[in-house]
Each structure stands twice: as C-alpha cells, then as structure tokens.
Amino acid sequence: MKETMEQWFAELEKSEAEAVKMTEKQSKILQAAIEVFAEKGFAAASTNEIAQRAGVAEGTIFRHYKTKKDLLLSIVAPVMTKLIAPFVLRDFNKVLDVDYDRYELFLRAVIANRIEFLRNHMNVFKILIQEIPFHPELQEQFRKNILSKVLERMNLIVDKFKSRGQLMEIPNLTVIRLTMSAIIGYVITRAYNENREDAGWDDEFEREETISFIIRGLSIK
Amino acid sequence: MKETMEQWFAELEKSEAEAVKMTEKQSKILQAAIEVFAEKGFAAASTNEIAQRAGVAEGTIFRHYKTKKDLLLSIVAPVMTKLIAPFVLRDFNKVLDVDYDRYELFLRAVIANRIEFLRNHMNVFKILIQEIPFHPELQEQFRKNILSKVLERMNLIVDKFKSRGQLMEIPNLTVIRLTMSAIIGYVITRAYNENREDAGWDDEFEREETISFIIRGLSIK
Amino acid sequence: MKETMEQWFAELEKSEAEAVKMTEKQSKILQAAIEVFAEKGFAAASTNEIAQRAGVAEGTIFRHYKTKKDLLLSIVAPVMTKLIAPFVLRDFNKVLDVDYDRYELFLRAVIANRIEFLRNHMNVFKILIQEIPFHPELQEQFRKNILSKVLERMNLIVDKFKSRGQLMEIPNLTVIRLTMSAIIGYVITRAYNENREDAGWDDEFEREETISFIIRGLSIK
Amino acid sequence: MKETMEQWFAELEKSEAEAVKMTEKQSKILQAAIEVFAEKGFAAASTNEIAQRAGVAEGTIFRHYKTKKDLLLSIVAPVMTKLIAPFVLRDFNKVLDVDYDRYELFLRAVIANRIEFLRNHMNVFKILIQEIPFHPELQEQFRKNILSKVLERMNLIVDKFKSRGQLMEIPNLTVIRLTMSAIIGYVITRAYNENREDAGWDDEFEREETISFIIRGLSIK
DNA sequence: GATGAATGAGCTTTCATTCAT
DNA sequence: GATGAATGAAAGCTCATTCAT
C-alpha cells in the first residue's frame, strides 16, 4: 500500500466536485453571488447586483434558490464539508496506514493541503467566517458536521503521537487548540500579506518556523 | 517607583472613559446600537430597532449621528484606540522601568489586562472584527493607529528579551505572530466556551498552558 | 411647392411624438407626475401621491426613473425640444421658400402654431417655467438648445424683413425682445382668462390687436 | 404745488418702511428666509437652513412665525403692497395734479421708479412670482389688493391720455396689457442680463426703445 | 427555463414643529 | 425671549420576492 495521504485528499475533492450538476446559468449565479457576498457581506449584497454580474434576470435567481438566504446556504454548505475533507476519510484503517511517522510531517501535509484548498475557495471561506455569527443554522451545521468530526479525528491522531512519545501529556483538546491557533495564525497572516508586494513575506520560511514552533511547544524534551 | 504595569493600564482606561460627555439619550442610543449591531451585523441592523431599544424616536438618532455609518464609527473608533492602550503608554522610560524580568511574566500581564478589557467591550470588539472587512476607513484606521503601533512597541519588547537571551533568534515579526496566534486562539476558545456550562473549560489551566507553550516554542533551550 | 409652414410644424410634431415607446404603466406615471408637479410644484410633490394617481406601486416609479429628479427631467426635456420645433426645421431653404410676405403673416402663423402647442402641453410648460430657476441643468439645456437656436433663426427672419423694408432699423435682439414680450403677454393673459367665464375675453380680437400693436411699433412709417 | 410724482413715491415707501417694528433676531430671520426661499424655492427650503443662516436656533423661528408658511406670507405680503405703491396714492386729486403731459413721460417715470424698487426687493419679488401659483391665499391677495387696484388706477390714466388724443381708441384693458407686456419684457430681459458681463446690454438704449415702441404702437398717427 | 416588470414592505433620512429649560 | 433636544410623520428610495409572458 503505497498511497499517500495527498492522493486520498485529491480523490475526495474530486468525487465531491463531480457530484454537482448545474446549468451554466446556475453556476454563473453562484459565482456572482460568491463575489458579491465576499465583497459586501450577505446583508449588504443585493440580488439585483448578483443578477447583473451573473448576466441573468433577477427572477432567474429565485427560480433556482427559493430565497436569498437559500443562495447563501447553497454556497456555504458544500464548502463547509470540503473544509474537513482530510479529516473524514471513510475507511478508518487506511487513514492510519497512510500515516506519517512524525507529528511534524502530519502538520506539513495538512497545511499544504488546506492552503491549496483555501486558494481555491478563499471567497467562500470568507463568507462562511463572516456569516456564521448571524445564522444559527450555520452554527449548528458547523458544530455538528465540522467541529465534532475534526475533533474526533484529531483526538485519535494526537493519541497516536502521544503513544509514540512524540507529544507531551497535556489534554488533547489543548494540544489541538494550540496547534490550530498557530496554523490558523499563519494562514491568516499569509493571506493578509498575499496581495501586498512590499510585505517581504517569505512563505516557505514562515511555514517551517510555524511548524517548528508547534513541535517545540508540544514535544517531550 | 513601585507602580506596576497594571496600574498604568487602569489609569489609562479610566482617563479615557472620563473624557466622554454625552446626554442620557445619546448614551442609550449608543448602547442600543452596540447591542443590535453585535446581534445582527451592521448592514442587517435597522435604525428603527435601535431607536426602539434605546427608547427614543428614530429621528433622535440622526440628530446625534448624521448617518447610520456615522453611528458605527462613533462606536468602533474609540474602542479601537483603547484596544492598544497597553502599547501606547506615553512615557517611554517608564514602560521599561515597570517592566518584567521574563517574557512569561510580560505575557501573563498582557493577557490578564486584555481579557479584562474584552470582558467590558466584547460586543464592540465583535462589531469591529465583523465590520473591518467592509469599511476601508476602518481598515485604514486599524493599520495606522493600531497595527503599526502595536508592532512598533512589540519590536522593542522582543528585542529586549532577545538581548537578555530569553528568546530565540528568529525574526521579530515571526515571534510576534506566533505569540499572538496562541494568545488570540486562547481568547477566542475561551469566549466560545464562556456561555456553555457543559464545556469543562478550566480557564486558569488553559491560560498557563498557553503561556508555557509559547515559552517552550520561543525559548533558547 | 405649395406646402405651408403649418404643415411643416404638424409633421415635425407628429414625428417626434411617434418616437416615444413606453409601457402603459410608464405612461400613466408620466401623466400623473405631470399633473402633480403642475399642481404642487416639484419639491412639494410626493412620489407617493404620483404613484397613487398613476395607480401603480411607489417602487414602480423608481424602476423606470432612478430618482424623482430624473422623472422631472424626463418630463421636461422632450417638451423643451418641441417648444422650438418651428425654429429648427432642418432644411434651411425650404424654410425660406415656405415663407411669408409680411412680418404680420409670420407672426400670425407662429402664434397660432404655438398656442395649439401650449393647449396640448400647458402643464408641462408650467412645470418647465416653475423649475428652471432651481435646476442649473435645465437652465443650461434651455440656453444651449432653446434660446440660442430660436435667436439664431429669428435673426435671419428679422434680417429678411428688414431687407424688404418692413422693419425699422433697430438691433435685431431688440426687435425680437419686443415682439416676444407682446406675444408672451398675450398668451399669458389668454391663459389666465381661459378658465374664467366672466372674463369677457375676445380672443380673436386681442390676438389681432397684439399683432397690429407689434407691427405699428416696428414698421417704418 | 410743485411736488413731483417721484417725491410721492419716496414718501410712501418711507412711511411703510417705518411702520415695521422688529427685533434684530426677527429681522435676521426674515433676511435669511428671503435668501433661502429665493435660492431653493419655498418647498425645498428647510427651516433648519434658515435658522443657521440667521444665526438663531430653529425654535426661535417658530416663536415669531407660527408655521413655515406664516414666514412666507410675512415676507411676501408687505412687498405685494409696496409693489403697487405708485398706484395707490391716497389723495386722488393730487395724483392727477402731479401728472405728466404725455403718456411717454408717465411710462418713463413708472419704469424708473419700479426698477429702483425691484433693485431693492428682487429676491422677494422672485419668491412672490414663484409661489403665487401654489398658494390660493396669495392669488386672492394679489387679485384683490394688487391687480384690481392697479387696473382701476390705470383705467383713469389711460382714459385721461385718450381724452387728450394721445392714445388710440382700443379697449383700456388691451392698452394696459400691451403696455405692461413691453415693460415687463424689458425688466425681465434686463434682470437676465444684469449678471452677465458679456451681454452687451445698453440699458439706457433698450429702455428708450421700449418706450418708443409702446408709444408708436398705441399713438394715433 | 428564463425573463423583467411590478410589487409593497421596509429602509435611512429629513423635516416642521413642540416644549422643558 | 431664546434655545436646541426631541419628536414622529412623511419623504425618497431599495429590496427580496412574485408572476404573467
């Protein structure tokens, strides 16, 4: 069994993408809505502007999506699922098989994969982050489908590296929180510096420093 | 000179709070606006609802604040300034005098202070975070008045601890980013668990673990 | 070539009227707006009342005209153009061919034609006169498209009758002013008396007296 | 009895002006209101702007004038009266005594006098003309107090010059209309050219041409 | 399926007017 | 007498949504 984790990710991504069937107009509407929602926020976005950018009549939007909110959910929900793709591989054993020897390698793989993901879905991710506080359904979905599953899987992974003597004996939730804080902080700073030419951001370097920082902070000396 | 950093913070906070002069109605409007903005977001909040909650006529709002956006800025701007109070103490020498021997102590003081601050201004802070992406003026203000000043001061502080041999020789910006990621991750998780009784969140413990994590990640072995 | 000037006017009027394409609702809105603007003045007219009289929803007005002012301009602009129809016949030679032997005949033709015009567009004309002082765009339009063209054409006409020895040698502008003052004074008084049954206004008589007055005032003895 | 008509006019003007008693604030309000009404029209003028220009509180306006409309009437009514000052000299006989030998002289005196008047009250006059169509009270006032009195007096004057063989035998109303049309046309064109440096308006010349035009148009050959 | 005119509720904002100080 | 904060009705305008074509 020579499959790598990356291949698993790719397969998952693909199979989800293929599941979608929509007309050209519908896809244009989605694309336009993503743009406008990301630019102005859901509440300040007008269906009129979305229709114009999509090059369709305003009525056409409501043929495909009952309400404006429906349109939001249609955008955000599938990305929420994809967001945790790496953590919900179906075959449990395989995950462990296709595993990494060290926490460091695992982190590096996850970061690379999720950055690739965000590059493709940055706008939807922005919308998700922006709107979660105002839509209980999104919160519910997030908690049930995302957070719990990620935590569940990460629990196993942390347990494994603990048992191999690579991670300190502090509560799993704390390990996960500290790991994720560092990674998310890296990703956000990275995104913030992406469009600024004068930033002097050395991505390769910062990523490695972040990983090293996590390892130093969590390893048994 | 036995003053502590905390005393400085307190004094600053107080003097700013006292500077405000407004009628009772005006303050009720502000309070109501903060509530509604935090609950629904700026764009989805209606001046009508704000007026009702404040117990004033809708026209009264516009006597005090030319536009709805004006109202937003009046709420957010002063808090932005207070947000960095600990980093803009006027007398430079005193800051160093009232200083801490170890990075760890410095972190513990900053966290305690800012958590206290957030307890008092959580709603406004939420609004600030939510609205910054959609209002270039806020972004500008944030970059110029907040980010640059915090970085400037943190630079000095990191330099000091580096020179004392307590911090590794990695770029200051990286040190700052990693430190802040961990702290902000702690603060957010804390806030997330605050209203949930079943959370089993041991704040004292998590805070200390976070500080230890940072120290381990950044110290020279 | 037996065409008369009147026929030219009629043709021009017709062709302009035909150029307009609009839905039934749109035309009802225009009609209602003309009524209300004429009755109350632009500033005192409410889009709400216009909508009610037109039998449409208020929003419908703003689907067709971006702003209330837009609605005003849409009403006034085309009438401004028609106002000077007799003075902007395209084919210059024909104008002179279809010409009149005496200034008196010319005046009688113009008055008859413009009175007919005003009978059809009195309300819009009122609005135009009322609103010109408050809208620089209207002033500009009036100066450029109306006044200058009328003066230009009248100049030629006055020159012609001067060269035929029918008009005194006073400046053309003065001739035009005196002629128009008398005619406009007649038209206004006529309009003022139109709705009053007790007025004892003998229109035929007054018109002829006005023309005679002008001729006596401007002819070489 | 060597008094001239001009002296009568002056006396009348003065005595009316003196009759007014008002505080400094009140007069500032009036002055500001005149400005704003003339600039924007009554309906589009806001009491707020008037108060600001007058340098008083908005409430102060309503202490002196029950409503905004009251303010309008307080401005327009007295000027309406003054407008016809030359035609309502109290002592009937004196009017005829202080009389002119020729219609021409009478016209020249009236024009000079009313132009002086308009120079001082142009803004109020503008307001009057603008608002008359929308306020039945003003129309009523105008008809009863102004139009009828002017016509009554002009009737006598025209009769006199007819009896002296200076004016043609056409109806008095027609004579008056033609006379006034020419004069008003002159006054308006004059006002229109007043602020335009490039106009090349020779006021003396145009005035005399206007008078000559009237005389030629109305005299027995 | 797609359109876009029409809707009417609701939005932010303005305004003349009131009234306690 | 003067103030200016407060009012609430009404203004112009926007918007998500509907529906006949």
Side-chain angles (χ1 to χ4, degrees):
Chain A
M1 169 105 33
K2 296 206 173 179
E3 301 185 27
T4 65
M5 208 161 171
E6 281 78 9
Q7 285 173 325
W8 273 104
F9 294 162
E11 192 175 333
L12 203 74
E13 191 89 3
K14 193 170 17 145
S15 63
E16 295 202 44
E18 280 164 0
V20 187
K21 292 173 200 164
M22 50 175 86
T23 73
E24 192 203 358
K25 298 239 169 191
Q26 198 167 350
S27 129
K28 272 188 179 172
I29 289 171
L30 274 187
Q31 202 46 52
I34 289 170
E35 270 181 43
V36 181
F37 285 163
E39 260 173 48
K40 318 207 157 173
F42 173 73
S46 82
T47 51
N48 171 39
E49 183 171 358
I50 294 171
Q52 269 179 254
R53 285 214 209 173
V56 301
E58 215 168 341
T60 308
I61 294 178
F62 291 91
R63 180 153 295 279
H64 292 288
Y65 307 93
K66 257 177 84 77
T67 66
K68 188 183 166 197
K69 184 153 190 177
D70 222 56
L71 179 55
L72 172 69
L73 297 181
S74 299
I75 287 169
V76 159
V79 170
M80 242 204 246
T81 314
K82 288 187 195 169
L83 188 61
I84 56 155
F87 302 98
V88 288
L89 296 171
R90 252 166 269 143
D91 192 332
F92 183 75
N93 290 320
K94 285 183 181 167
V95 184
L96 293 184
D97 291 349
V98 187
D99 223 340
Y100 295 92
D101 288 340
R102 287 179 290 139
Y103 195 51
E104 183 181 344
L105 295 176
F106 166 75
L107 291 181
R108 194 170 288 114
V110 168
I111 290 176
N113 176 274
R114 290 300 83 191
I115 282 199
E116 185 56 30
F117 173 82
L118 281 182
R119 194 193 312 284
N120 297 329
H121 302 91
M122 182 54 89
N123 274 342
V124 182
F125 187 68
K126 263 190 201 166
I127 297 170
L128 173 62
I129 297 300
Q130 285 293 333
E131 296 307 326
I132 269 196
F134 305 127
H135 304 272
E137 323 86 290
L138 286 183
Q139 288 163 32
E140 189 63 16
Q141 248 183 305
F142 180 77
R143 208 165 306 172
K144 279 204 175 141
N145 302 339
I146 308 301
L147 192 54
S148 69
K149 290 194 177 163
V150 170
L151 289 182
E152 179 190 338
R153 187 58 47 108
M154 280 295 287
N155 246 323
L156 295 173
I157 290 166
V158 170
D159 276 341
K160 190 187 74 178
F161 287 109
K162 271 186 180 170
S163 75
R164 294 192 188 171
Q166 290 184 28
L167 292 179
M168 295 175 64
E169 280 300 333
I170 46 180
N172 283 2
L173 272 176
T174 309
V175 170
I176 296 168
R177 171 171 65 76
L178 292 170
T179 299
M180 290 201 141
S181 296
I183 293 178
I184 292 171
Y186 154 72
V187 169
I188 289 175
T189 316
R190 187 179 179 282
Y192 178 80
N193 283 311
E194 201 159 35
N195 305 323
R196 321 183 70 223
E197 307 216 332
D198 61 324
W201 172 265
D202 181 344
D203 191 46
E204 184 73 19
F205 174 80
E206 297 291 344
R207 194 186 321 152
E208 287 307 315
E209 283 298 332
T210 305
I211 293 172
S212 306
F213 170 74
I214 296 171
I215 298 301
R216 284 194 303 271
L218 295 178
S219 302
I220 295 174
K221 287 142 288 183
Chain B
M1 169 116 17
K2 297 202 172 182
E3 301 185 26
T4 66
M5 210 162 171
E6 280 79 11
Q7 285 173 326
W8 274 102
F9 296 164
E11 193 175 334
L12 205 74
E13 189 89 2
K14 195 175 6 152
S15 63
E16 294 200 46
E18 280 164 1
V20 187
K21 293 172 201 162
M22 51 176 84
T23 73
E24 190 205 357
K25 297 239 170 189
Q26 197 167 350
S27 129
K28 272 188 179 171
I29 289 171
L30 274 187
Q31 203 46 52
I34 290 171
E35 269 180 41
V36 182
F37 285 163
E39 259 173 48
K40 317 207 157 171
F42 173 73
S46 84
T47 51
N48 172 35
E49 181 170 0
I50 294 172
Q52 267 179 255
R53 284 214 208 171
V56 301
E58 213 166 344
T60 308
I61 293 177
F62 292 91
R63 173 156 294 276
H64 292 290
Y65 307 92
K66 264 176 85 76
T67 64
K68 189 184 165 195
K69 184 155 190 176
D70 221 57
L71 179 55
L72 172 69
L73 297 181
S74 298
I75 286 170
V76 160
V79 169
M80 245 204 239
T81 313
K82 286 186 194 169
L83 189 60
I84 56 156
F87 301 99
V88 288
L89 296 171
R90 254 166 268 147
D91 191 333
F92 182 76
N93 289 320
K94 284 181 181 168
V95 183
L96 293 184
D97 290 351
V98 188
D99 224 338
Y100 296 92
D101 289 340
R102 286 180 290 140
Y103 195 51
E104 185 182 342
L105 296 177
F106 166 76
L107 291 181
R108 195 169 289 116
V110 168
I111 291 175
N113 176 273
R114 289 301 81 189
I115 283 202
E116 183 58 29
F117 173 82
L118 282 182
R119 195 193 310 284
N120 298 328
H121 302 93
M122 183 53 91
N123 274 342
V124 182
F125 187 69
K126 262 191 200 166
I127 297 170
L128 174 61
I129 296 300
Q130 285 294 331
E131 296 307 324
I132 267 195
F134 305 129
H135 304 272
E137 326 87 289
L138 285 184
Q139 288 164 31
E140 187 66 12
Q141 246 181 301
F142 180 77
R143 209 166 303 173
K144 279 204 176 141
N145 301 339
I146 307 301
L147 193 54
S148 69
K149 289 190 179 166
V150 169
L151 289 182
E152 181 189 338
R153 187 56 50 106
M154 282 294 289
N155 247 321
L156 296 174
I157 291 166
V158 169
D159 277 341
K160 192 187 73 177
F161 287 110
K162 272 184 180 170
S163 74
R164 294 192 187 172
Q166 292 184 27
L167 292 180
M168 297 175 63
E169 281 301 331
I170 47 180
N172 284 2
L173 272 177
T174 309
V175 171
I176 296 169
R177 171 171 65 77
L178 294 169
T179 301
M180 289 197 146
S181 297
I183 292 179
I184 291 171
Y186 155 70
V187 169
I188 288 174
T189 317
R190 188 180 178 282
Y192 178 80
N193 284 310
E194 202 161 34
N195 306 322
R196 323 181 69 225
E197 307 215 334
D198 60 325
W201 173 264
D202 181 345
D203 191 47
E204 185 74 16
F205 175 79
E206 297 290 344
R207 192 187 321 152
E208 285 308 315
E209 283 300 331
T210 304
I211 293 172
S212 305
F213 170 73
I214 297 172
I215 297 301
R216 285 194 303 270
L218 295 177
S219 305
I220 295 173
K221 286 144 287 182
Chain C
M1 170 111 27
K2 297 205 175 183
E3 301 186 27
T4 65
M5 209 162 172
E6 282 79 10
Q7 285 173 327
W8 274 103
F9 295 163
E11 192 175 334
L12 204 75
E13 190 88 3
K14 192 169 18 144
S15 63
E16 295 201 44
E18 280 164 359
V20 187
K21 295 170 198 164
M22 51 177 85
T23 73
E24 190 205 358
K25 297 239 170 193
Q26 198 167 349
S27 127
K28 272 189 180 173
I29 289 171
L30 274 188
Q31 202 46 53
I34 289 172
E35 269 180 42
V36 182
F37 285 164
E39 258 173 48
K40 317 207 158 173
F42 173 73
S46 85
T47 52
N48 173 36
E49 182 172 358
I50 294 172
Q52 268 179 253
R53 284 213 209 172
V56 301
E58 210 167 344
T60 307
I61 293 178
F62 291 94
R63 173 158 294 276
H64 292 290
Y65 307 92
K66 262 177 85 77
T67 64
K68 188 185 163 195
K69 183 154 190 176
D70 223 58
L71 179 55
L72 173 68
L73 297 182
S74 299
I75 287 169
V76 158
V79 169
M80 246 205 243
T81 313
K82 287 187 195 168
L83 189 60
I84 55 156
F87 301 98
V88 289
L89 296 171
R90 254 167 268 145
D91 193 331
F92 182 76
N93 290 320
K94 286 182 182 167
V95 182
L96 293 185
D97 290 351
V98 187
D99 223 339
Y100 296 91
D101 288 340
R102 286 180 287 138
Y103 194 50
E104 187 182 341
L105 296 176
F106 167 75
L107 292 181
R108 196 169 287 115
V110 168
I111 290 177
N113 176 273
R114 290 301 82 189
I115 283 204
E116 184 57 29
F117 173 82
L118 283 182
R119 194 195 308 284
N120 297 329
H121 301 91
M122 182 55 88
N123 273 343
V124 182
F125 188 67
K126 263 190 201 167
I127 296 170
L128 174 61
I129 295 300
Q130 285 293 332
E131 295 307 324
I132 268 196
F134 305 127
H135 305 272
E137 325 88 288
L138 285 184
Q139 288 162 35
E140 188 66 12
Q141 247 182 299
F142 179 78
R143 208 165 306 171
K144 279 205 175 140
N145 301 340
I146 307 300
L147 193 53
S148 69
K149 289 191 177 165
V150 169
L151 289 182
E152 182 190 335
R153 187 56 50 108
M154 281 295 288
N155 247 322
L156 296 173
I157 290 166
V158 169
D159 277 340
K160 191 187 74 177
F161 287 109
K162 271 186 181 170
S163 75
R164 296 194 186 168
Q166 292 184 25
L167 292 181
M168 297 175 62
E169 280 300 333
I170 48 180
N172 283 1
L173 273 176
T174 309
V175 171
I176 296 169
R177 170 172 65 76
L178 293 169
T179 300
M180 290 199 146
S181 297
I183 292 179
I184 292 172
Y186 155 70
V187 168
I188 290 175
T189 317
R190 188 179 179 283
Y192 177 79
N193 283 309
E194 200 160 35
N195 305 322
R196 320 181 71 225
E197 308 215 333
D198 60 326
W201 172 264
D202 180 346
D203 191 47
E204 185 74 15
F205 174 79
E206 296 289 344
R207 193 187 320 153
E208 286 307 318
E209 284 300 329
T210 305
I211 293 172
S212 305
F213 171 75
I214 297 171
I215 298 301
R216 285 195 302 272
L218 295 177
S219 304
I220 294 175
K221 286 144 286 181
Chain D
M1 171 117 18
K2 297 205 171 180
E3 300 184 27
T4 66
M5 209 161 170
E6 281 78 11
Q7 285 173 325
W8 274 103
F9 295 163
E11 194 177 334
L12 204 75
E13 191 91 1
K14 194 167 15 141
S15 63
E16 295 201 44
E18 279 164 0
V20 187
K21 292 172 201 164
M22 50 174 84
T23 72
E24 192 202 357
K25 297 237 169 193
Q26 200 168 348
S27 127
K28 273 189 178 171
I29 289 171
L30 274 186
Q31 202 47 52
I34 289 171
E35 270 181 39
V36 181
F37 285 164
E39 260 174 45
K40 318 206 158 172
F42 173 72
S46 82
T47 51
N48 172 38
E49 183 171 358
I50 294 171
Q52 267 179 257
R53 286 214 207 173
V56 301
E58 215 168 342
T60 308
I61 293 178
F62 291 90
R63 180 152 295 279
H64 292 288
Y65 308 92
K66 260 177 83 77
T67 67
K68 190 186 166 194
K69 184 153 190 180
D70 223 55
L71 179 55
L72 173 68
L73 298 181
S74 300
I75 287 169
V76 158
V79 169
M80 244 204 241
T81 312
K82 287 187 196 171
L83 188 61
I84 54 155
F87 302 99
V88 289
L89 295 171
R90 255 165 268 144
D91 192 332
F92 181 73
N93 289 321
K94 283 183 182 168
V95 184
L96 293 184
D97 289 349
V98 188
D99 222 339
Y100 295 92
D101 286 342
R102 286 181 286 138
Y103 194 51
E104 184 181 346
L105 296 177
F106 167 75
L107 291 180
R108 194 170 289 116
V110 167
I111 290 176
N113 177 274
R114 289 301 81 190
I115 282 200
E116 184 58 30
F117 173 82
L118 282 181
R119 195 194 311 284
N120 297 328
H121 302 91
M122 183 54 92
N123 274 343
V124 183
F125 187 68
K126 263 189 200 167
I127 297 169
L128 174 61
I129 296 300
Q130 286 293 331
E131 297 306 326
I132 268 196
F134 305 129
H135 304 273
E137 325 86 290
L138 285 184
Q139 288 163 33
E140 188 64 14
Q141 248 183 304
F142 180 77
R143 209 165 303 171
K144 280 205 176 141
N145 302 339
I146 307 302
L147 193 55
S148 68
K149 289 192 179 166
V150 169
L151 290 182
E152 179 190 339
R153 186 58 48 107
M154 281 294 288
N155 247 322
L156 295 174
I157 289 166
V158 169
D159 276 342
K160 192 187 72 178
F161 286 110
K162 272 186 180 169
S163 74
R164 293 193 187 172
Q166 292 184 26
L167 293 179
M168 296 175 64
E169 279 301 333
I170 46 181
N172 283 2
L173 272 177
T174 309
V175 171
I176 296 169
R177 170 170 68 75
L178 293 169
T179 299
M180 289 199 146
S181 296
I183 293 179
I184 291 171
Y186 155 71
V187 169
I188 289 174
T189 317
R190 188 179 180 282
Y192 178 78
N193 284 309
E194 200 160 35
N195 304 323
R196 320 183 70 224
E197 307 215 336
D198 61 324
W201 173 264
D202 180 347
D203 191 48
E204 185 74 18
F205 174 79
E206 297 290 345
R207 194 186 320 153
E208 287 306 316
E209 284 297 333
T210 305
I211 293 172
S212 304
F213 171 74
I214 297 171
I215 297 301
R216 283 195 303 271
L218 295 178
S219 302
I220 295 174
K221 289 144 283 180

